[in-house]
Amino acid sequence: STSSIPGEGKTTNSLALAQNLSAMGKKVLLIEGDIRRRPLRQYFDAEPTHGIVAILSGDKAAEAVVEHFAGKGFDVIFGEKTSANAADVFSSNRFKEFVTAQRAVYDFIIIDTPPVLIVPDSRIIAQAADATLFSVKWDSTTRPQVDEALRLIQNANQRVTGLILSQVDAAGMK
């Protein structure tokens, strides 16, 4: 899940998708792919010391890092502070191998990524994904921002699978 710029609802959409899929009886893993800002922490009562970077560096096994939230119905792997370049972390073969290994454990893996126009991470992460959902904030994000973000995704030989119009104001639509 990605967007053009921050604040378009991609993290909220990722959480909603994880909750909806888990409510349907699916085993879901939500991965925090925005390791620079780490927005997922505001939605959970957790202060993990290790996350996706520890897994990809080989310091921790995935099983030791996955946070289980019975009340939410899905599992989470948080990001953590690192001095490593995020683009390098996600462009590694270890990341692709990790995602492949998790596909044997989970029905769905949702990766909440940073905005396309800010950093290249989401375009890199998309290479390991089966689908890319693109959030656009209603009546806020400009057409040039969306066009540029979609162009960057296409230039990375990726494609957007679905668009989400987020934060629609029903009263404002009238």
Side-chain angles (χ1 to χ4, degrees):
S1 177
T2 193
S3 65
S4 299
I5 56 176
E8 295 196 76
K10 65 187 164 20
T11 299
T12 303
N13 290 330
S14 294
L15 287 162
L17 184 58
Q19 288 177 325
N20 288 336
L21 289 169
S22 64
M24 293 169 43
K26 302 299 181 186
K27 191 164 183 187
V28 179
L29 174 64
L30 176 60
I31 300 172
E32 186 167 47
D34 189 346
I35 62 175
R36 291 176 171 92
R37 292 185 322 121
R38 301 185 325 262
L40 281 179
R41 293 178 195 280
Q42 65 186 329
Y43 297 95
F44 294 90
D45 185 24
E47 282 299 325
T49 55
H50 300 289
I52 189 69
V53 177
I55 295 169
L56 299 179
S57 67
D59 291 344
K60 295 283 182 183
E63 300 77 29
V65 174
V66 170
E67 299 277 342
H68 305 283
F69 293 97
K72 298 221 185 266
F74 56 89
D75 295 343
V76 178
I77 295 178
F78 291 96
E80 76 262 46
K81 286 185 180 180
T82 179
S83 59
N85 181 305
D88 292 341
V89 168
F90 292 113
S91 64
S92 70
N93 282 334
R94 284 191 146 210
F95 177 67
K96 291 176 186 131
E97 291 165 1
F98 166 75
V99 171
T100 299
Q102 296 312 302
R103 284 183 172 136
V105 178
Y106 292 94
D107 297 314
F108 290 93
I109 301 166
I110 300 166
I111 308 170
D112 183 45
T113 69
V116 173
L117 296 180
I118 305 299
V119 291
D121 307 1
S122 59
R123 290 171 277 156
I124 293 167
I125 291 169
Q127 295 172 8
D130 295 324
T132 300
L133 299 178
F134 189 84
S135 295
V136 178
K137 184 176 178 180
W138 176 80
D139 201 30
S140 177
T141 311
T142 66
R143 181 180 299 264
Q145 287 171 322
V146 172
D147 288 344
E148 179 64 11
L150 293 175
R151 186 187 65 74
L152 289 170
I153 291 169
Q154 185 177 24
N155 286 350
N157 293 320
Q158 301 304 313
R159 65 184 181 90
V160 170
T161 312
L163 293 167
I164 302 169
L165 187 59
S166 65
Q167 304 175 49
V168 176
D169 178 5
M173 285 177 35
K174 292 179 183 177

